[in-house]
């Protein structure tokens, strides 16, 4: 597929729900059909239009009377830490990080449950 070829995807709009970004606001979400076959060019075109991805879902906020959510793409390869960030990095150089295989555990559940409750209220 080249840039001159337009792909069309079925879009689905959710009912209004509590906004996760702005307190006391209602939000709607526009989803691309999760069963749609999408190539890299189509995906990038959607990203350029403000869509985001979470797992297999490609979506964007689509609120009736609000456009406060602005997608931001961060050019990570060009990042240059400023003085404060370099100082913070040096202070935390001894912090331990690890990468592990995702797994369900009681410890993780106890951590996530309060977060999910606050997001849904």
């Amino acid at each position: 597929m080249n840039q001159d070829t337009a792909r069309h995807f079925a879009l689905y709009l959710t009912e209004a729900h509590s906004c996760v970004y702005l307190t006391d606001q209602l939000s709607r979400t526009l989803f691309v059909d999760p069963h749609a076959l999408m190539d890299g060019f189509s995906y990038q075109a959607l990203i350029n239009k403000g869509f985001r991805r979470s797992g297999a879902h490609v979506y964007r906020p689509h609120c009736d009377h609000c456009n406060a959510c602005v997608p931001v793409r961060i050019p990570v390869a060009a990042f240059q830490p400023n003085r404060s960030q370099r100082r913070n990095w040096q202070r935390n150089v001894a912090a331990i990080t690890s990468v592990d295989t995702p797994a369900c555990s009681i410890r993780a559940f106890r951590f996530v449950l309060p977060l999910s409750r606050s997001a849904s209220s």
Side-chain angles (χ1 to χ4, degrees), residues 26-99:
L26 291 177
S27 173
R28 297 179 82 185
T29 305
L30 188 64
F31 281 94
V32 175
D33 180 358
H35 301 292
L37 298 176
M38 191 178 310
D39 60 17
F41 174 75
S42 298
Y43 174 73
Q44 187 59 53
L46 288 166
I47 294 298
N48 293 345
K49 294 285 188 187
F51 281 79
R52 306 163 185 180
R53 184 184 65 80
S54 178
H57 299 286
V58 178
Y59 68 96
R60 72 174 175 83
H62 188 81
C63 304
D64 294 331
H65 304 288
C66 178
N67 61 356
C69 296
V70 177
V72 177
R73 302 293 287 178
I74 312 258
V76 176
F79 175 74
Q80 294 292 317
N82 63 28
R83 183 175 174 206
S84 174
Q85 291 163 331
R86 287 191 303 271
R87 204 170 42 242
N88 192 25
W89 179 264
Q90 289 303 314
R91 271 190 233 137
N92 291 288
V93 74
I96 298 171
T97 60
S98 64
V99 177

Coordinates of all heavy atoms in Angstrom, one line a residue, residues 26-99:
L26 N -17.5 14.6 30.9 CA -17.9 13.3 30.2 C -17.0 13.2 29.0 O -16.7 14.2 28.4 CB -19.4 13.3 29.8 CG -20.4 13.2 31.0 CD1 -21.8 13.3 30.5 CD2 -20.1 12.0 31.8
S27 N -16.8 12.0 28.7 CA -15.9 11.6 27.5 C -16.6 10.6 26.7 O -17.4 9.8 27.1 CB -14.6 11.1 28.1 OG -13.8 10.7 27.0
R28 N -16.2 10.5 25.4 CA -16.6 9.5 24.5 C -15.3 9.0 23.8 O -14.3 9.8 23.7 CB -17.6 10.0 23.5 CG -18.9 10.4 24.2 CD -19.9 10.9 23.2 NE -20.6 9.7 22.6 CZ -21.4 9.8 21.6 NH1 -21.7 11.0 21.1 NH2 -22.0 8.7 21.2
T29 N -15.3 7.8 23.4 CA -14.1 7.2 22.8 C -14.4 6.7 21.4 O -15.4 5.9 21.3 CB -13.5 6.1 23.6 OG1 -13.2 6.7 24.9 CG2 -12.1 5.7 23.1
L30 N -13.6 7.0 20.4 CA -13.8 6.5 19.0 C -12.8 5.4 18.8 O -11.6 5.6 18.9 CB -13.6 7.6 18.1 CG -13.9 7.4 16.6 CD1 -15.4 7.1 16.4 CD2 -13.4 8.6 15.8
F31 N -13.3 4.2 18.6 CA -12.5 3.0 18.4 C -12.5 2.5 16.9 O -13.5 2.6 16.3 CB -13.0 1.8 19.2 CG -12.6 1.8 20.6 CD1 -13.5 2.4 21.6 CD2 -11.4 1.3 21.1 CE1 -13.2 2.4 22.9 CE2 -11.1 1.4 22.4 CZ -12.0 1.9 23.3
V32 N -11.3 2.1 16.4 CA -11.2 1.4 15.1 C -11.6 0.0 15.4 O -11.3 -0.6 16.4 CB -9.8 1.5 14.6 CG1 -9.6 0.7 13.3 CG2 -9.3 3.0 14.4
D33 N -12.3 -0.6 14.4 CA -12.7 -2.0 14.5 C -11.6 -2.8 14.9 O -10.6 -2.9 14.2 CB -13.3 -2.4 13.2 CG -13.8 -3.9 13.2 OD1 -13.6 -4.6 14.2 OD2 -14.3 -4.3 12.1
P34 N -11.6 -3.5 16.1 CA -10.4 -4.3 16.5 C -10.2 -5.5 15.7 O -9.1 -6.1 15.7 CB -10.8 -4.7 18.0 CG -12.3 -4.6 18.0 CD -12.7 -3.5 17.0
H35 N -11.1 -5.9 14.8 CA -10.9 -7.0 13.9 C -10.3 -6.6 12.5 O -10.1 -7.5 11.7 CB -12.2 -7.8 13.7 CG -12.7 -8.3 15.0 ND1 -12.1 -9.3 15.7 CD2 -13.8 -7.9 15.7 CE1 -12.8 -9.5 16.8 NE2 -13.9 -8.7 16.9
A36 N -10.2 -5.3 12.3 CA -9.7 -4.8 11.0 C -8.2 -5.2 10.9 O -7.4 -5.1 11.8 CB -9.9 -3.3 11.0
L37 N -7.9 -5.6 9.7 CA -6.5 -5.8 9.3 C -5.8 -4.5 9.0 O -6.3 -3.8 8.1 CB -6.4 -6.8 8.2 CG -7.0 -8.2 8.4 CD1 -6.9 -9.1 7.2 CD2 -6.2 -8.9 9.6
M38 N -4.7 -4.2 9.7 CA -4.1 -2.9 9.5 C -2.6 -3.0 9.2 O -1.9 -3.7 9.9 CB -4.3 -2.1 10.8 CG -4.0 -0.7 10.7 SD -4.3 0.3 12.2 CE -5.9 -0.2 12.6
D39 N -2.2 -2.4 8.1 CA -0.8 -2.4 7.8 C -0.1 -1.2 8.5 O -0.8 -0.4 9.1 CB -0.6 -2.4 6.3 CG -1.2 -1.1 5.6 OD1 -1.5 -0.2 6.3 OD2 -1.4 -1.2 4.4
G40 N 1.2 -1.1 8.4 CA 2.0 -0.1 9.0 C 1.6 1.3 8.5 O 1.5 2.3 9.3
F41 N 1.3 1.5 7.2 CA 1.0 2.8 6.7 C -0.3 3.3 7.3 O -0.5 4.4 7.7 CB 0.9 2.8 5.2 CG 0.5 4.1 4.6 CD1 1.3 5.2 4.6 CD2 -0.8 4.2 4.1 CE1 0.8 6.4 4.1 CE2 -1.3 5.4 3.6 CZ -0.5 6.5 3.6
S42 N -1.3 2.4 7.3 CA -2.6 2.7 7.8 C -2.6 3.1 9.3 O -3.2 4.0 9.8 CB -3.6 1.6 7.7 OG -3.8 1.3 6.3
Y43 N -1.8 2.3 10.1 CA -1.6 2.5 11.5 C -1.0 3.9 11.7 O -1.5 4.7 12.5 CB -0.8 1.4 12.1 CG -0.4 1.7 13.6 CD1 -1.4 1.6 14.6 CD2 0.9 2.1 13.9 CE1 -1.1 1.8 15.9 CE2 1.2 2.4 15.3 CZ 0.2 2.2 16.2 OH 0.5 2.5 17.5
Q44 N 0.1 4.2 10.9 CA 0.7 5.5 11.1 C -0.2 6.6 10.7 O -0.2 7.7 11.3 CB 2.0 5.6 10.2 CG 2.8 6.8 10.5 CD 3.3 6.9 11.9 OE1 3.9 6.0 12.5 NE2 3.0 8.1 12.5
A45 N -1.1 6.4 9.7 CA -2.0 7.5 9.3 C -3.0 7.8 10.4 O -3.3 8.9 10.7 CB -2.8 7.1 8.0
L46 N -3.4 6.7 11.1 CA -4.3 6.9 12.3 C -3.6 7.6 13.4 O -4.2 8.5 14.1 CB -4.9 5.5 12.7 CG -5.9 4.9 11.8 CD1 -6.2 3.5 12.1 CD2 -7.2 5.7 11.8
I47 N -2.4 7.2 13.7 CA -1.6 7.9 14.7 C -1.5 9.4 14.4 O -1.6 10.2 15.3 CB -0.2 7.2 14.9 CG1 -0.4 5.8 15.4 CG2 0.7 8.0 15.8 CD1 -1.0 5.7 16.8
N48 N -1.2 9.7 13.1 CA -1.1 11.1 12.7 C -2.4 11.8 12.9 O -2.4 13.1 13.0 CB -0.6 11.2 11.3 CG 0.8 10.7 11.1 OD1 1.5 10.5 12.1 ND2 1.1 10.4 9.9
K49 N -3.5 11.1 12.9 CA -4.8 11.8 13.1 C -5.2 11.8 14.6 O -6.4 12.1 14.9 CB -5.9 11.0 12.4 CG -5.8 11.0 10.9 CD -6.2 12.4 10.4 CE -6.2 12.4 8.8 NZ -6.5 13.7 8.3
G50 N -4.3 11.5 15.5 CA -4.6 11.6 16.9 C -5.0 10.3 17.6 O -5.4 10.3 18.8
F51 N -5.0 9.2 16.9 CA -5.4 7.9 17.5 C -4.2 7.4 18.4 O -3.1 7.8 18.2 CB -5.8 6.9 16.4 CG -7.1 7.1 15.9 CD1 -7.4 8.0 14.9 CD2 -8.2 6.3 16.3 CE1 -8.7 8.2 14.4 CE2 -9.5 6.4 15.8 CZ -9.7 7.4 14.9
R52 N -4.6 6.6 19.3 CA -3.6 6.0 20.2 C -3.8 4.5 20.2 O -4.8 4.0 19.7 CB -3.8 6.5 21.7 CG -3.9 8.0 21.8 CD -4.5 8.4 23.1 NE -4.6 9.9 23.1 CZ -5.1 10.5 24.0 NH1 -5.6 9.9 25.1 NH2 -5.1 11.8 24.0
R53 N -2.9 3.7 20.8 CA -3.0 2.3 20.8 C -2.8 1.8 22.2 O -2.0 2.2 22.9 CB -2.0 1.6 19.9 CG -2.2 0.1 19.8 CD -1.1 -0.5 19.0 NE 0.2 -0.4 19.6 CZ 0.7 -1.1 20.6 NH1 0.0 -2.1 21.1 NH2 1.9 -0.9 21.1
S54 N -3.7 0.8 22.6 CA -3.5 0.1 23.8 C -3.8 -1.3 23.5 O -5.0 -1.7 23.3 CB -4.5 0.7 24.9 OG -4.4 -0.1 26.1
G55 N -2.8 -2.2 23.5 CA -3.0 -3.6 23.1 C -3.4 -3.6 21.7 O -2.8 -3.0 20.8
A56 N -4.5 -4.3 21.4 CA -5.1 -4.5 20.1 C -6.0 -3.3 19.7 O -6.5 -3.3 18.6 CB -5.8 -5.8 20.0
H57 N -6.3 -2.4 20.6 CA -7.3 -1.3 20.4 C -6.6 0.0 19.9 O -5.7 0.4 20.6 CB -8.1 -1.1 21.7 CG -8.8 -2.3 22.1 ND1 -10.0 -2.7 21.5 CD2 -8.6 -3.1 23.1 CE1 -10.4 -3.8 22.1 NE2 -9.6 -4.1 23.1
V58 N -7.1 0.5 18.8 CA -6.7 1.8 18.3 C -7.9 2.7 18.5 O -9.0 2.4 18.1 CB -6.3 1.7 16.8 CG1 -5.9 3.1 16.3 CG2 -5.2 0.7 16.7
Y59 N -7.6 3.8 19.2 CA -8.7 4.7 19.7 C -8.3 6.1 19.8 O -7.1 6.4 19.8 CB -9.3 4.2 21.0 CG -8.3 4.4 22.1 CD1 -8.3 5.5 22.9 CD2 -7.2 3.5 22.4 CE1 -7.4 5.7 23.9 CE2 -6.3 3.7 23.4 CZ -6.4 4.8 24.1 OH -5.5 5.0 25.1
R60 N -9.2 7.0 20.0 CA -8.9 8.4 20.4 C -10.1 9.0 21.1 O -11.3 8.6 20.9 CB -8.5 9.3 19.2 CG -9.7 9.6 18.2 CD -9.2 10.6 17.2 NE -10.1 10.9 16.2 CZ -11.1 11.8 16.3 NH1 -11.2 12.5 17.4 NH2 -12.0 12.0 15.3
P61 N -9.9 10.0 22.0 CA -11.0 10.7 22.6 C -11.8 11.4 21.5 O -11.3 11.9 20.5 CB -10.3 11.7 23.5 CG -9.0 11.2 23.7 CD -8.6 10.5 22.5
H62 N -13.1 11.4 21.7 CA -14.0 12.0 20.7 C -15.2 12.6 21.5 O -16.3 12.1 21.5 CB -14.5 11.0 19.7 CG -15.3 11.6 18.6 ND1 -14.7 12.2 17.5 CD2 -16.6 11.7 18.4 CE1 -15.6 12.6 16.6 NE2 -16.8 12.4 17.2
C63 N -14.9 13.7 22.2 CA -15.9 14.2 23.2 C -16.8 15.2 22.4 O -16.4 15.9 21.5 CB -15.2 14.9 24.3 SG -14.1 13.7 25.2
D64 N -18.1 15.3 22.9 CA -19.1 16.2 22.3 C -18.7 17.6 22.3 O -18.9 18.4 21.4 CB -20.4 15.9 22.9 CG -20.9 14.5 22.6 OD1 -20.6 14.0 21.6 OD2 -21.7 14.0 23.4
H65 N -18.2 18.1 23.5 CA -18.0 19.6 23.7 C -16.6 19.9 24.2 O -16.5 20.8 25.0 CB -19.1 20.1 24.6 CG -20.5 19.9 24.1 ND1 -21.0 20.5 23.0 CD2 -21.4 19.0 24.6 CE1 -22.2 20.0 22.8 NE2 -22.5 19.1 23.7
C66 N -15.7 19.1 23.9 CA -14.3 19.2 24.5 C -13.3 18.8 23.5 O -13.5 17.8 22.8 CB -14.2 18.5 25.8 SG -12.6 18.6 26.6
N67 N -12.2 19.4 23.4 CA -11.0 19.0 22.6 C -9.7 19.2 23.4 O -8.7 19.5 22.8 CB -11.0 19.6 21.2 CG -10.9 21.1 21.3 OD1 -10.9 21.7 22.4 ND2 -10.8 21.8 20.2
A68 N -9.8 19.1 24.7 CA -8.7 19.3 25.6 C -7.6 18.3 25.4 O -6.4 18.5 25.7 CB -9.1 19.4 27.0
C69 N -7.9 17.0 25.1 CA -6.9 16.0 24.9 C -6.2 16.2 23.6 O -6.7 16.1 22.5 CB -7.6 14.6 24.9 SG -8.5 14.2 26.5
V70 N -4.9 16.4 23.8 CA -4.0 16.6 22.6 C -3.0 15.5 22.6 O -2.2 15.4 23.5 CB -3.3 18.0 22.7 CG1 -2.4 18.2 21.5 CG2 -4.4 19.1 22.8
P71 N -2.9 14.7 21.5 CA -1.9 13.6 21.5 C -0.5 14.3 21.3 O -0.4 15.2 20.5 CB -2.3 12.8 20.3 CG -3.2 13.7 19.4 CD -3.8 14.7 20.4
V72 N 0.4 13.7 22.0 CA 1.8 14.2 21.9 C 2.7 13.1 21.5 O 2.7 12.0 22.2 CB 2.2 14.9 23.2 CG1 3.7 15.3 23.2 CG2 1.3 16.0 23.6
R73 N 3.5 13.2 20.5 CA 4.5 12.2 20.2 C 5.9 12.7 20.6 O 6.3 13.8 20.3 CB 4.5 12.0 18.6 CG 3.2 11.6 18.0 CD 2.8 10.2 18.5 NE 3.6 9.2 17.9 CZ 3.4 7.9 18.1 NH1 2.5 7.5 18.9 NH2 4.2 7.0 17.5
I74 N 6.6 11.9 21.4 CA 7.8 12.3 22.0 C 9.0 11.7 21.2 O 9.1 10.5 21.1 CB 8.0 11.8 23.5 CG1 6.7 12.2 24.2 CG2 9.3 12.3 24.1 CD1 6.7 13.3 25.1
P75 N 9.8 12.5 20.6 CA 11.0 12.0 19.8 C 12.1 11.5 20.8 O 13.0 12.2 21.1 CB 11.4 13.2 19.0 CG 11.0 14.4 19.7 CD 9.8 14.0 20.5
V76 N 11.9 10.3 21.3 CA 12.8 9.7 22.3 C 14.3 9.7 21.9 O 15.1 10.1 22.7 CB 12.3 8.3 22.7 CG1 13.3 7.7 23.7 CG2 10.9 8.4 23.2
A77 N 14.5 9.4 20.7 CA 15.9 9.3 20.2 C 16.6 10.7 20.3 O 17.9 10.7 20.4 CB 16.0 8.8 18.8
A78 N 15.9 11.8 20.2 CA 16.5 13.1 20.2 C 16.5 13.7 21.6 O 16.9 14.8 21.8 CB 15.7 14.0 19.3
F79 N 16.0 13.0 22.6 CA 16.0 13.5 24.0 C 17.4 13.8 24.5 O 18.3 13.1 24.5 CB 15.3 12.5 24.9 CG 15.3 12.9 26.4 CD1 14.5 13.9 26.8 CD2 16.2 12.3 27.3 CE1 14.5 14.3 28.2 CE2 16.2 12.7 28.6 CZ 15.3 13.7 29.1
Q80 N 17.5 15.0 25.1 CA 18.7 15.5 25.8 C 18.3 16.0 27.2 O 17.6 17.0 27.3 CB 19.3 16.7 25.0 CG 19.9 16.3 23.6 CD 21.1 15.4 23.7 OE1 21.9 15.6 24.6 NE2 21.1 14.3 22.9
P81 N 18.7 15.3 28.2 CA 18.3 15.7 29.6 C 18.8 17.1 29.9 O 20.0 17.4 29.6 CB 18.8 14.6 30.5 CG 19.9 14.0 29.7 CD 19.6 14.1 28.2
N82 N 18.0 17.9 30.6 CA 18.5 19.2 31.0 C 19.3 19.0 32.4 O 19.4 17.9 32.9 CB 17.3 20.2 31.2 CG 16.3 19.8 32.2 OD1 16.6 19.1 33.2 ND2 15.1 20.2 32.0
R83 N 19.8 20.1 32.9 CA 20.6 20.0 34.1 C 19.9 19.3 35.3 O 20.4 18.5 36.0 CB 21.0 21.4 34.5 CG 22.0 21.4 35.6 CD 22.5 22.9 35.9 NE 23.3 22.9 37.1 CZ 23.4 24.0 37.8 NH1 22.8 25.1 37.5 NH2 24.1 24.0 38.9
S84 N 18.6 19.7 35.5 CA 17.9 19.1 36.6 C 17.6 17.6 36.4 O 17.7 16.8 37.4 CB 16.5 19.8 36.7 OG 15.7 19.2 37.6
Q85 N 17.4 17.2 35.2 CA 17.2 15.8 34.9 C 18.5 15.0 35.1 O 18.4 13.9 35.6 CB 16.6 15.6 33.5 CG 15.2 16.1 33.4 CD 14.8 16.3 32.0 OE1 15.6 16.6 31.1 NE2 13.4 16.2 31.7
R86 N 19.6 15.6 34.7 CA 20.9 14.9 34.9 C 21.2 14.7 36.4 O 21.6 13.7 36.8 CB 22.0 15.6 34.2 CG 22.0 15.5 32.7 CD 23.3 16.1 32.0 NE 23.5 17.5 32.4 CZ 23.1 18.5 31.7 NH1 22.3 18.3 30.6 NH2 23.4 19.7 32.0
R87 N 20.9 15.8 37.1 CA 21.1 15.7 38.6 C 20.2 14.7 39.2 O 20.7 13.9 40.0 CB 20.8 17.1 39.1 CG 21.5 17.4 40.4 CD 21.4 18.9 40.9 NE 20.1 19.5 40.7 CZ 19.8 20.5 39.9 NH1 20.8 21.1 39.2 NH2 18.6 21.0 39.7
N88 N 19.0 14.6 38.8 CA 18.0 13.6 39.3 C 18.5 12.2 39.0 O 18.4 11.3 39.8 CB 16.6 13.9 38.8 CG 15.6 13.1 39.5 OD1 15.8 12.7 40.6 ND2 14.5 12.8 38.8
W89 N 19.0 12.0 37.7 CA 19.5 10.7 37.3 C 20.7 10.3 38.2 O 20.8 9.2 38.7 CB 20.0 10.8 35.9 CG 20.5 9.5 35.4 CD1 21.9 9.1 35.3 CD2 19.8 8.4 34.9 NE1 22.0 7.9 34.8 CE2 20.7 7.4 34.5 CE3 18.5 8.1 34.7 CZ2 20.3 6.2 34.0 CZ3 18.1 6.9 34.2 CH2 19.0 5.9 33.9
Q90 N 21.6 11.2 38.5 CA 22.7 10.9 39.4 C 22.3 10.5 40.8 O 22.8 9.7 41.4 CB 23.7 12.1 39.4 CG 24.5 12.3 38.1 CD 25.3 11.0 37.7 OE1 25.9 10.4 38.5 NE2 25.1 10.7 36.5
R91 N 21.3 11.2 41.3 CA 20.8 10.9 42.7 C 20.1 9.6 42.7 O 20.1 8.9 43.8 CB 19.7 12.0 43.1 CG 20.3 13.1 43.8 CD 19.2 14.0 44.4 NE 19.4 15.3 43.9 CZ 18.5 16.2 43.4 NH1 17.3 15.9 43.4 NH2 18.9 17.4 43.0
N92 N 19.6 9.1 41.6 CA 18.9 7.8 41.6 C 19.6 6.7 40.9 O 19.0 5.7 40.6 CB 17.5 8.0 41.0 CG 16.6 8.9 41.8 OD1 16.2 8.4 42.9 ND2 16.4 10.1 41.4
V93 N 20.9 6.9 40.6 CA 21.6 5.9 39.9 C 21.7 4.5 40.6 O 21.8 3.5 39.9 CB 23.1 6.4 39.6 CG1 23.9 6.4 40.8 CG2 23.7 5.6 38.4
A94 N 21.5 4.5 41.9 CA 21.5 3.2 42.6 C 20.2 2.5 42.7 O 20.1 1.4 43.2 CB 22.0 3.5 44.1
A95 N 19.1 3.2 42.1 CA 17.8 2.6 42.1 C 17.9 1.3 41.3 O 18.5 1.2 40.3 CB 16.8 3.5 41.5
I96 N 17.2 0.3 41.8 CA 17.2 -1.0 41.1 C 15.9 -1.2 40.3 O 14.8 -0.9 40.7 CB 17.2 -2.2 42.2 CG1 18.5 -2.0 43.0 CG2 17.1 -3.5 41.5 CD1 18.5 -3.0 44.2
T97 N 16.1 -1.5 39.0 CA 15.0 -1.8 38.1 C 15.2 -3.2 37.6 O 16.3 -3.8 37.6 CB 15.0 -0.8 37.0 OG1 16.2 -0.9 36.2 CG2 14.8 0.6 37.4
S98 N 14.0 -3.8 37.2 CA 14.1 -5.1 36.6 C 13.0 -5.2 35.6 O 11.9 -4.6 35.7 CB 14.0 -6.2 37.7 OG 12.7 -6.1 38.3
V99 N 13.2 -6.1 34.6 CA 12.2 -6.4 33.6 C 11.8 -7.9 33.9 O 12.7 -8.7 34.0 CB 12.7 -6.3 32.2 CG1 11.7 -6.7 31.2 CG2 13.1 -4.8 32.0

